[in-house]
Amino acid sequence: KKEAALSVARNMAQQNNPGAVQCPVCSQDFEAASINSHLDVCLLEAEQGDQKEDGKADTPPCKKSRTSADTAAAAEFTPGQGAHLAAAASRSAPSAVFSVFQGSKRTKPGEPHASVSSKQGGFANTNGADLSPKGVKAPGSSPRGVRAAGADAPRPAASGASACAPRGPCAPESVKPLAERMRPDTLEEYFGQNKVLGENTLLRSLLESQEVPSLVLWGPPGCGKTTLAHIIAGNIKRNGGARFVSLSATSASTAEVREVIKQAQNELRLFKRRTVLFIDEIHRFNKAQQDTFLPHVECGTVTLIGATTENPSFQVNAALLSRCRVIVLEKLSVEAMEAILLRAVGSLGVGVLQGDRADSEDSGDGSEPRIYIEQKALSTIAHLCDGDARTGLNGLQLAVQARISAARLGQASEKTQPIIIQEDHVKEGLQRSHILYDRAGEEHYNCISALHKSMRGSHENAALYWLGRMLEGGEDPLYVARRLVRFASEDVGLADPMALTQAVSAFQACHVIGMPECDVILAQCAVYLARAPKSVEVYKAYGNVKACLRNHQGPLPPVPLHLRNAPTRLMKNLGYAKGYKYNPAFSEPVEQDYLPEELKEISFFDWTPANV
Ligand SMILES: Nc1ncnc2c1ncn2[C@@H]1O[C@H](COP(=O)(O)OP(=O)(O)OP(=O)(O)O)[C@@H](O)[C@H]1O
């Protein structure tokens, strides 16, 4: 391997600068005299990177945690960073980039690293202390009323799993949040999203035929965007067809993007290998960064897979977007969530209770309690997590950890009793307000639009619902109040001029008393506006005025002299105010022009601009 690399390096040296030699592995330039020793280190590091943790190094970066329990765990470990890059990072500034080389060797069973897979890890607290449900029997030995979770679920945590926590490279695996450990590796383990990934869908056939086009995966948090990228990466790796590189737009700089592109060009030129570049949260890249890889996506050096929670039509460079296929992923259905949770429960060795309690059941080996979760509790998580698998899995993990800790602190006699996780326990772990509504995201605009349209359609019931979705989700009441003021004029208008008074009063009341007391004020106003008669006469007419001004060719017509004030003699002499008829001085209607000569015939109330 080294000989081949050396010969490539020498060729490059001859072609380019005879003084400098570019390393074909890391693409950095070196003195010809030092390339040999550098390659020794670089190849070794690359190989270590390949061997690392059963190929996990090519996975997209560890996702952000959303619960306090995960935060510490995630902070301790950033999976997916290849050893060669970790070493590179020690030479230079820390990098958000990590790259993966193909053909990684899997650690043999029996070797220390292979002793625990991501799916076998027991529970661990954030200090790495083992909280595995030791002594839990396999689902096959479950008591009456308990069924095994997920037929294809991985085996339950063995008591030996805890030994992994403090040891070598597998220790971080056990402190990963459950959602991270349960990240599927194959499409078979990927639940839901049938519209885009079901049988006979375009994306599925493309993935099966190993043809990965540039993609933008757009969907709400936790619906499986990164996971899908991870599965695609696995497919690519198994096929050996391309190299997979991952960047997070939250931390990667333009220089790092350029570096990835440079490496991709080298890979293509030297090894005829494409690069698939995964960019998480692509909407966070600025235009300059997006522009950097545009030509390389276009010419095929890089196949881009971007993930975003934001509408890509607003956030992603139009030119880049037009070169990518946009895949819209949806919130996971309750059924898909139940399947995901069952798989997780199975991997933890937690039994599922169907109706009957197992209070009086034995306690396994007599020293450690068994753990069960009520089916109802699982369904509650599936419903409450609002289609966000990460939230659901985090909620499950918190509930189980909390129950195990409580059991350990309890009376000695209780310590051998089965641990049962009930609905109330899981509710504690899920923060509903976060789940309902994302104030910063697109949902904010979707909900206010739904409220506006419900009021316009005089549907007081729906108006109340959308208002509740926003307020209970933590929306700023003044944001809603401002919209009600606008609605009172735009949609109710002169059909009920009191609507504007109502809305402005509601705005002021919200301003003065704030949440939670102002909720009912907004509700009253929303219902008033929904019930009010509607008129868009003024709104439309004013729109016509704006269009008329916008479309006007040449200089705007002057204000007619008779409509001007004449406060000075000079102005009077110039004809200002001449011929103006003061209406109160006339007993009968006054004939007078109020528009410029050329607009005299236009009525903005029934005129339609030519280009509308
Ligand atoms: N469709 C799915 N099938 C099985 N598990 C899933 C699925 N979607 C998500 N998960 C689980 O949820 C976790 C979080 O999912 P993922 O990181 O893919 O979400 P995301 O859409 O990228 O979220 P975000 O936008 O917040 O980054 C995964 O680690 C995995 O365990």
Side-chain angles (χ1 to χ4, degrees):
K1 211 167 177 180
K2 186 185 157 192
E3 276 310 308
L6 259 175
S7 120
V8 171
R10 283 194 199 105
N11 285 343
M12 287 168 68
Q14 279 153 18
Q15 282 163 18
N16 303 320
N17 176 5
V21 181
Q22 192 182 48
C23 169
V25 181
C26 71
S27 304
Q28 291 179 26
D29 288 334
F30 291 88
E31 289 295 318
S34 63
I35 185 69
N36 201 354
S37 56
H38 163 75
L39 262 172
D40 282 337
V41 177
C42 206
L43 280 169
L44 182 71
E45 286 169 351
E47 220 152 67
Q48 281 169 352
D50 282 353
Q51 286 172 5
K52 193 172 186 290
E53 225 202 345
D54 197 20
K56 289 288 176 200
D58 62 342
T59 61
C62 190
K63 300 297 294 186
K64 55 199 172 287
S65 297
R66 295 224 188 96
T67 64
S68 51
D70 313 326
T71 314
E76 283 181 37
F77 176 56
T78 311
Q81 291 190 331
H84 70 287
L85 228 105
S90 67
R91 290 192 297 269
S92 58
S95 167
V97 185
F98 65 89
S99 159
V100 173
F101 290 82
Q102 291 294 306
S104 71
K105 291 177 196 160
R106 292 192 169 245
T107 317
K108 290 192 195 94
E111 283 178 9
H113 299 189
S115 61
V116 173
S117 79
S118 63
K119 304 187 185 79
Q120 289 172 317
F123 281 115
N125 65 17
T126 52
N127 298 322
D130 176 38
L131 293 177
S132 301
K134 289 177 196 149
V136 171
K137 287 185 179 170
S141 62
S142 303
R144 205 180 56 250
V146 178
R147 75 178 161 80
D152 59 346
R155 303 296 296 164
S159 54
S162 60
C164 160
R167 256 196 303 134
C170 66
E173 185 67 17
S174 65
V175 298
K176 275 188 196 174
L178 179 63
E180 228 22 76
R181 276 187 276 147
M182 293 312 302
R183 197 187 284 288
D185 292 320
T186 61
L187 280 179
E188 286 63 48
E189 295 165 330
Y190 189 81
F191 299 103
Q193 309 298 1
N194 287 335
K195 274 193 202 158
V196 289
L197 274 169
E199 295 300 320
N200 303 325
T201 54
L202 181 77
L203 184 60
R204 193 164 196 118
S205 356
L206 286 173
L207 295 187
E208 281 168 356
S209 63
Q210 308 288 347
E211 289 291 325
V212 185
S214 284
L215 301 171
V216 171
L217 306 173
W218 172 30
C223 72
K225 301 179 293 297
T226 310
T227 304
L228 185 55
H230 168 101
I231 292 171
I232 295 172
N235 265 358
I236 292 170
K237 189 186 163 200
R238 276 189 290 278
N239 188 41
R243 177 172 154 270
F244 190 87
V245 181
S246 183
L247 276 181
S248 172
T250 48
S251 52
S253 64
T254 309
E256 281 166 329
V257 175
R258 288 215 182 89
E259 184 59 32
V260 168
I261 300 290
K262 199 170 137 197
Q263 286 186 17
Q265 287 170 325
N266 286 344
E267 281 285 328
L268 196 63
R269 203 176 63 236
L270 298 172
F271 304 115
K272 302 278 173 275
R273 201 162 54 176
R274 279 183 312 134
T275 296
V276 176
L277 173 60
F278 174 68
I279 300 183
D280 201 12
E281 311 209 35
I282 191 168
H283 59 276
R284 301 262 198 123
F285 263 152
N286 61 32
K287 194 169 172 322
Q289 286 168 313
Q290 293 188 18
D291 283 346
T292 310
F293 42 74
L294 177 63
H296 307 283
V297 170
E298 184 149 67
C299 72
T301 311
V302 164
T303 302
L304 176 72
I305 302 181
T308 177
T309 48
E310 300 296 320
N311 187 335
S313 31
F314 304 131
Q315 308 288 347
V316 179
N317 185 334
L320 190 60
L321 201 58
S322 72
R323 286 157 182 83
C324 298
R325 200 171 278 276
V326 177
I327 305 291
V328 183
L329 300 181
E330 294 176 342
K331 284 180 182 177
L332 291 162
S333 64
V334 171
E335 293 71 39
M337 269 314 306
E338 282 180 342
I340 291 168
L341 290 168
L342 272 178
R343 178 169 166 260
V345 155
S347 85
L348 297 169
V350 173
V352 180
L353 276 179
Q354 300 279 21
D356 284 346
R357 291 278 178 82
D359 294 339
S360 58
E361 297 295 342
D362 69 311
S363 57
D365 61 8
S367 58
E368 294 289 344
R370 289 184 183 177
I371 307 171
Y372 302 106
I373 185 163
E374 290 182 349
Q375 173 62 52
K376 193 154 184 284
L378 271 189
S379 303
T380 301
I381 303 179
H383 279 91
L384 282 186
C385 71
D386 198 37
D388 178 340
R390 187 185 297 107
T391 301
L393 290 168
N394 284 342
L396 173 68
Q397 183 174 21
L398 273 183
V400 177
Q401 282 177 327
R403 293 302 296 149
I404 292 173
S405 304
R408 287 196 173 164
L409 294 173
Q411 305 270 327
S413 59
E414 289 171 10
K415 287 187 181 169
T416 54
Q417 291 296 309
I419 295 172
I420 297 177
I421 299 154
Q422 297 166 336
E423 197 183 1
D424 284 348
H425 303 136
V426 301
K427 277 185 176 167
E428 278 171 31
L430 290 165
Q431 294 163 7
R432 197 165 166 73
S433 63
H434 149 76
I435 293 160
L436 280 171
Y437 189 70
D438 177 6
R439 266 185 74 177
E442 198 194 82
E443 200 63 354
H444 168 84
Y445 300 106
N446 291 342
C447 282
I448 198 80
S449 168
L451 170 65
H452 196 129
K453 289 182 174 124
S454 304
M455 293 189 300
R456 183 180 286 152
S458 301
H459 206 299
E460 58 195 39
N461 210 33
L464 268 188
Y465 172 77
W466 293 117
L467 176 72
R469 275 275 289 260
M470 284 187 283
L471 295 183
E472 299 312 304
E475 184 55 87
D476 174 6
L478 288 180
Y479 171 74
V480 182
R482 276 195 289 275
R483 180 56 76 104
L484 297 187
V485 174
R486 165 75 189 191
F487 181 91
S489 184
E490 177 182 324
D491 285 83
V492 178
L494 293 177
D496 177 3
M498 272 305 290
L500 188 56
T501 309
Q502 283 280 337
V504 172
S505 300
F507 177 86
Q508 283 173 335
C510 290
H511 188 63
V512 175
I513 67 173
M515 278 293 273
E517 282 83 2
C518 72
D519 56 357
V520 72
I521 294 167
L522 289 171
Q524 176 187 325
C525 184
V527 172
Y528 182 98
L529 296 176
R531 286 181 183 170
K534 310 290 185 303
S535 165
V536 290
E537 184 193 23
V538 176
Y539 168 69
K540 281 193 161 173
Y542 186 67
N544 287 340
V545 170
K546 288 198 284 189
C548 170
L549 290 168
R550 221 175 21 246
N551 298 343
H552 188 86
Q553 308 282 333
L556 287 171
V559 177
L561 284 179
H562 68 279
L563 294 183
R564 302 184 190 195
N565 257 351
T568 67
R569 181 180 295 274
L570 172 71
M571 290 162 105
K572 265 199 188 110
N573 291 342
L574 289 173
Y576 281 39
K578 189 172 176 195
Y580 171 65
K581 295 174 188 163
Y582 178 61
N583 290 48
F586 293 82
S587 52
E588 68 282 358
V590 169
E591 275 294 317
Q592 184 164 235
D593 290 331
Y594 292 98
L595 279 172
E597 184 66 22
E598 61 195 271
L599 298 177
K600 247 171 34 186
E601 303 308 319
I602 290 184
S603 164
F604 293 107
F605 290 87
D606 42 37
W607 172 76
T608 309
N611 62 348
V612 171

